Amino acid sequence: MATSSDRYPYAFHIALDGNGLNGLEGAAGVCVFRYNPDSGEYAYRVQYYDGVAGGHAISITPDRKFGFLGNAGQQILFYDVESLDERERVSTLRFEAPDASIKSSTHMVWLDNTQGVTAIGDGLWLVDLDRPTKAERIGEHLLKLPHAMKRTASGRYLVYGGMDHPGQGEAAEVGIFDLEKRVARRIPLPTTCWHVACHPREDLFYALSFRVHPQEGRDWHEWAMAYFKEYVFEIDAPSGQILRHWTCGQNVPAHINSDVCVSDRELIYCNGGSGTIVMIDLADFTSYRVIDERPGLSWQMRSARQAARQVTDAFTRGSPVPSSRHFVGALRVTRGTLIDSVYACQLSADQKLLFTANRGLNTITVYDYPANAVRLRVKMPELRAYLPDLPVWTDPRLGFHHSTLLSPVPAPAGADLRSVHEH
């Protein structure tokens, strides 16, 4: 019997957090966008889940059967990859209570088809899809508030970024956990780095700065975007040594990053604040190029409801007079726009297609890579189509956040051409 993967070999899974400015406080759902580049056909499905909040990141089992919806609501939620139906959810408070409400299981790394590692409280926990209430604490993570998590090429090391902590302040650190020895190490950095990506062949990883200000000098929960220079650090996982780093002046539109992926030639990451996808050359770790998704005036005028929600939410997070510098800095970061931008960005396994999801414009785009020409752009339905109790004038954004792309993997000579790969 034919499956959706036969008709649509590409499946772009995107976490959804609704239409608010702060993605850590919104709804929780999943969008899967399926695509066939040969026929040009596409299809999508959207599902929000009641009783869970702050949908954030997606990770899918290697056998492509089940997904994990990371969130900022202290719950573990698994869903069926094909139907998006919920399979299981478990409160992480049964294992360990955090010291801040945004300290949650936002990301997970799968070790096999049933077992994955995620952060809960001050520890790293091994969670089994078949026994989700029997999680095992495997060690301390040593960070204030762990965030994005990946596994290096050899499989031995988990690497993870860290968020600034509402009570403990600026993070400026990343973590490395040795899965064989079950020991973590903390790597201090000059800047906070929420997000990381791993080299495809070596035990190297990349940590990207995420620079913010605390509102009124103290609140790291409702932070403001900082108009500072940005960094990317290349780190050796076995030794913890920083090998190289890239930095750019504040004028480069590389602020408030989200998804990160790596091709054979470039480190690729999207920036929801600046509205760009930045691509850094891995050979020299100096030169870079940019895809600019900043909307033109006509797009901005058609996005009045999004802009109104953004501005309203910004005023709930900071008082206009004492926080005026934060508002000016945010306008500099966004280059004068009043809506956010690209949060999801994934490269296909054959490195020919780049998928992005623009949160502010509520669009999904497929680019030819490395040419970066637009192949397809789809305007997605409004949020009210899935949450009908919202008023007709509500902000229409679905709330795109982190993503995962399932795509065909190029097969070596003599291999089964039906082989697939989670990227």
Side-chain angles (χ1 to χ4, degrees), residues 258-389:
S258 186
D259 270 349
V260 193
C261 50
V262 185
S263 74
D264 290 337
R265 66 185 77 189
E266 292 173 313
L267 177 76
I268 303 167
Y269 66 98
C270 60
N271 300 281
S274 297
T276 61
I277 300 98
V278 173
M279 303 176 171
I280 302 172
D281 188 276
L282 288 176
D284 60 27
F285 220 56
T286 300
S287 55
Y288 66 95
R289 57 197 185 120
V290 175
I291 299 175
D292 195 343
E293 286 201 10
R294 179 182 179 272
L297 182 59
S298 61
W299 264 105
Q300 293 186 52
M301 292 179 67
R302 294 197 300 270
S303 304
R305 286 180 292 165
Q306 293 97 308
R309 178 64 186 269
Q310 288 280 102
V311 172
T312 301
D313 282 5
F315 283 132
T316 69
R317 296 175 64 170
S319 303
V321 176
S323 298
S324 59
R325 69 189 184 99
H326 297 324
F327 288 91
V328 174
L331 284 173
R332 295 296 301 273
V333 165
T334 63
R335 297 178 289 161
T337 64
L338 297 178
I339 55 176
D340 48 14
S341 189
V342 193
Y343 275 65
C345 173
Q346 295 292 338
L347 186 66
S348 63
D350 64 4
Q351 302 186 21
K352 293 183 178 180
L353 297 177
L354 181 70
F355 288 68
T356 70
N358 191 307
R359 179 189 180 92
L361 299 179
N362 211 33
T363 56
I364 291 176
T365 303
V366 182
Y367 293 92
D368 287 314
Y369 181 85
N372 296 344
V374 174
R375 173 186 282 257
L376 174 72
R377 178 163 288 152
V378 177
K379 180 75 173 177
M380 297 296 287
E382 295 193 4
L383 178 63
R384 193 169 176 270
Y386 305 100
L387 302 179
D389 291 338

Side-chain angles (χ1 to χ4, degrees), residues 86-345:
E86 180 179 332
R87 164 165 171 167
E88 188 78 59
R89 78 170 71 184
V90 176
S91 169
T92 62
L93 299 181
R94 68 163 56 219
F95 306 124
E96 191 171 333
D99 56 6
S101 66
I102 61 172
K103 194 171 186 176
S104 190
S105 303
T106 53
H107 295 73
M108 174 180 279
V109 170
W110 290 101
L111 304 184
D112 56 35
N113 290 332
T114 63
Q115 295 188 105
V117 177
T118 189
I120 301 174
D122 290 329
L124 293 174
W125 290 71
L126 184 67
V127 180
D128 194 315
L129 180 63
D130 294 331
R131 300 182 304 115
T133 62
K134 305 297 182 183
E136 174 192 356
R137 197 178 198 274
I138 61 174
E140 298 276 322
H141 55 63
L142 303 183
L143 299 193
K144 297 180 181 68
L145 207 166
H147 195 59
M149 183 180 298
K150 298 290 177 68
R151 193 179 185 187
T152 61
S154 71
R156 177 169 178 173
Y157 302 97
L158 294 182
V159 297
Y160 41 97
M163 295 170 59
D164 303 316
H165 190 286
Q168 300 175 38
E170 188 174 13
E173 60 189 4
V174 294
I176 302 171
F177 187 81
D178 188 325
L179 286 166
E180 291 185 7
K181 297 181 178 180
R182 294 197 171 185
V183 174
R185 65 188 304 172
R186 173 185 174 273
I187 309 300
L189 296 171
T191 62
T192 290
C193 295
W194 288 27
H195 302 126
V196 297
C198 292
H199 192 281
R201 294 175 300 277
E202 303 176 46
D203 277 349
L204 305 176
F205 70 102
Y206 302 91
L208 291 77
S209 68
F210 194 101
R211 310 199 68 184
V212 301
H213 286 299
Q215 290 281 1
E216 299 176 1
R218 62 180 184 274
D219 192 344
W220 291 94
H221 186 147
E222 294 187 324
W223 46 265
M225 294 187 290
Y227 189 52
F228 289 157
K229 62 183 180 294
E230 298 290 351
Y231 291 77
V232 177
F233 306 94
E234 182 183 68
I235 304 173
D236 178 67
S239 68
Q241 183 181 25
I242 300 171
L243 304 180
R244 301 184 293 179
H245 79 274
W246 178 88
T247 187
C248 64
Q250 64 184 174
N251 60 297
V252 176
H255 303 277
I256 310 300
N257 57 72
S258 186
D259 270 349
V260 193
C261 50
V262 185
S263 74
D264 290 337
R265 66 185 77 189
E266 292 173 313
L267 177 76
I268 303 167
Y269 66 98
C270 60
N271 300 281
S274 297
T276 61
I277 300 98
V278 173
M279 303 176 171
I280 302 172
D281 188 276
L282 288 176
D284 60 27
F285 220 56
T286 300
S287 55
Y288 66 95
R289 57 197 185 120
V290 175
I291 299 175
D292 195 343
E293 286 201 10
R294 179 182 179 272
L297 182 59
S298 61
W299 264 105
Q300 293 186 52
M301 292 179 67
R302 294 197 300 270
S303 304
R305 286 180 292 165
Q306 293 97 308
R309 178 64 186 269
Q310 288 280 102
V311 172
T312 301
D313 282 5
F315 283 132
T316 69
R317 296 175 64 170
S319 303
V321 176
S323 298
S324 59
R325 69 189 184 99
H326 297 324
F327 288 91
V328 174
L331 284 173
R332 295 296 301 273
V333 165
T334 63
R335 297 178 289 161
T337 64
L338 297 178
I339 55 176
D340 48 14
S341 189
V342 193
Y343 275 65
C345 173

Side-chain angles (χ1 to χ4, degrees), residues 4 35 41 81 126 272 289 414:
S4 61
Y35 179 56
E41 292 180 294
V81 165
L126 184 67
R289 57 197 185 120

Side-chain angles (χ1 to χ4, degrees), residues 59-72:
S59 58
I60 294 176
T61 54
D63 62 7
R64 300 165 55 102
K65 292 183 178 179
F66 297 101
F68 167 79
L69 174 59
N71 60 82

